[in-house]
Amino acid sequence: MSGELSPIDKAKFVAAKRAAEFVESGMRVGLGTGSTAAWLVRCLGERVREEGLRFRGVPTSARTADLAREVGIEVISLDEARWLDLTIDGADEFDANLSLIKGGGGALLQEKIVATASDQMVVIADAAKEVETLGAFPLPVEVIPFGWPTSQALVEETLVSMDVMGRSATLRMNGERPYVTDEGNHILDLHLGRIGNPRQLAMVLNQIPGVVENGLFIDICDQVVIGYSDGRVETRDINEGTVSEERLDFVEDNNLFRDI
C-alpha cells in the first residue's frame, strides 16, 4: 500500500512516524492540523491499537478531533488538560532558527495557543518546507468578521514600513464565501514574498485593531523532524544544538493508509 504514496506523502509519513515515537503513555499531547499532522494522528492511532499506548490528545481543530476519535485517541479540551507535555504539528515554512509560518489549514489561532501551552513543540515537515527566509508562503492573519475590510487596509498600510517584499492581503475564500475559522473569524493571506524581520512583523500585526493572531510562530518550536521520500528522517533540536539522522522502512498497513 505504501508504494502508492507520492514522494511528498512518503516524506510526511516518515516524519510523522518518527515524531509519534516521542509520545509516551500518560502524556497530554497537542495534536496539530493539516495534512502532515493527519499522518501523525494516524500513526498515534496505530500505536494505541498495536501497543496499548494511552495518552490524552488536545486537538487544534474540529477536523483533527474527529480524526483522533476515529483512530481511538482519547480527546480532551485544553481547559481540561490545562498544560501539555508536548505538541506535535506541521508547518507551512520553517527556517534555520525554527521560526515558522503556520495557518495554511486555517487553524493558526488554536495551534498557537496549544503550542505555547506545552513544555515542548515538535514540528513535522517534509524537506520542501525548509526555507532560507520566511515569506514565500502567504502569511495567514486571523481577523474578526466585523470591519474586516478596514483591518485589511490597516494591515496593508502597516506593511509599507515593514521589511517585506510584497504588501498585498487577500481574504481567504471557501468557494464563493469567506473562509470561516473554528472561532468564527476570517483569514487574510499576506503575500509578502520575503519577511526580513519575522519577530518585528509578528508583534506589529497583533497591534492592529481587528487582528486576532498571525501565523508567525517565533521562539515556540523546539525540534523539527524532517522527512524525505527515501525514508530518511532528520531531527534538529534548537535547544540542544543537535542534528540526528536515521532511515525508516515503509511498512504496509491497510488501516493506516485506508484513506489515502
Side-chain angles (χ1 to χ4, degrees):
M1 182 69 71
S2 60
E4 298 176 11
L5 295 180
S6 68
I8 193 76
D9 279 331
K10 289 180 181 178
K12 292 178 179 181
F13 167 64
V14 294
K17 185 83 168 175
R18 176 66 184 91
E21 297 173 5
F22 296 161
V23 178
E24 301 174 1
S25 285
M27 279 187 168
R28 292 160 296 181
V29 181
L31 303 174
T33 296
S35 59
T36 311
W39 281 113
L40 168 77
V41 174
R42 291 187 178 97
C43 289
L44 287 172
E46 183 182 48
R47 290 194 61 198
V48 168
R49 294 189 301 273
E50 302 296 329
E51 303 174 22
L53 177 69
R54 290 293 178 265
F55 72 98
R56 291 177 291 173
V58 175
T60 56
S61 68
R63 58 187 180 277
T64 295
D66 289 343
L67 178 59
R69 292 189 184 96
E70 181 184 332
V71 300
I73 295 171
E74 180 185 354
V75 171
I76 61 173
S77 68
L78 183 59
D79 291 346
E80 294 173 284
R82 299 183 65 84
W83 195 259
L84 307 178
D85 300 287
L86 173 68
T87 287
I88 307 176
D89 203 348
D92 299 304
E93 286 185 347
F94 69 92
D95 65 14
N97 298 316
L98 301 195
S99 295
L100 320 171
I101 286 182
K102 289 180 52 55
L108 66 99
L109 180 56
Q110 288 191 25
E111 288 173 337
K112 188 172 281 191
I113 293 171
V114 168
T116 54
S118 306
D119 287 336
Q120 281 198 83
M121 182 193 188
V122 174
V123 161
I124 48 178
D126 59 272
K129 300 295 173 43
E130 182 172 14
V131 296
E132 184 174 343
T133 304
L134 298 177
F137 190 92
L139 174 64
V141 175
E142 188 158 340
V143 297
I144 66 170
F146 175 79
W148 72 260
T150 300
S151 298
Q152 178 181 7
L154 290 170
V155 166
E156 291 179 330
E157 181 180 340
T158 299
L159 291 175
V160 173
S161 61
M162 294 290 102
D163 184 9
V164 295
M165 185 178 299
R167 297 181 177 87
S168 67
T170 58
L171 181 68
R172 186 177 299 184
M173 303 297 290
N174 182 14
E176 296 183 355
R177 296 178 177 272
Y179 178 86
V180 178
T181 70
D182 282 355
E183 291 74 35
N185 297 319
H186 296 331
I187 288 182
L188 298 175
D189 288 310
L190 312 190
H191 305 275
L192 308 178
R194 178 189 59 80
I195 301 173
N197 191 333
R199 187 184 306 277
Q200 179 191 43
L201 180 60
M203 293 177 62
V204 170
L205 285 173
N206 281 7
Q207 301 303 310
I208 297 174
V211 170
V212 180
E213 190 53 83
N214 69 84
L216 285 166
F217 284 50
I218 312 296
D219 297 333
I220 297 176
C221 177
D222 298 285
Q223 295 185 65
V224 60
V225 180
I226 308 166
Y228 297 84
S229 59
D230 61 1
R232 286 182 297 124
V233 179
E234 180 182 320
T235 303
R236 301 180 194 169
D237 189 313
I238 193 72
N239 300 313
E240 300 294 332
T242 58
V243 179
S244 62
E245 186 173 303
E246 57 191 293
R247 186 181 298 272
L248 300 183
D249 293 326
F250 291 103
V251 178
E252 184 173 325
D253 187 320
N254 288 330
N255 289 324
L256 188 62
F257 294 103
R258 67 186 183 278
D259 295 327
I260 301 303

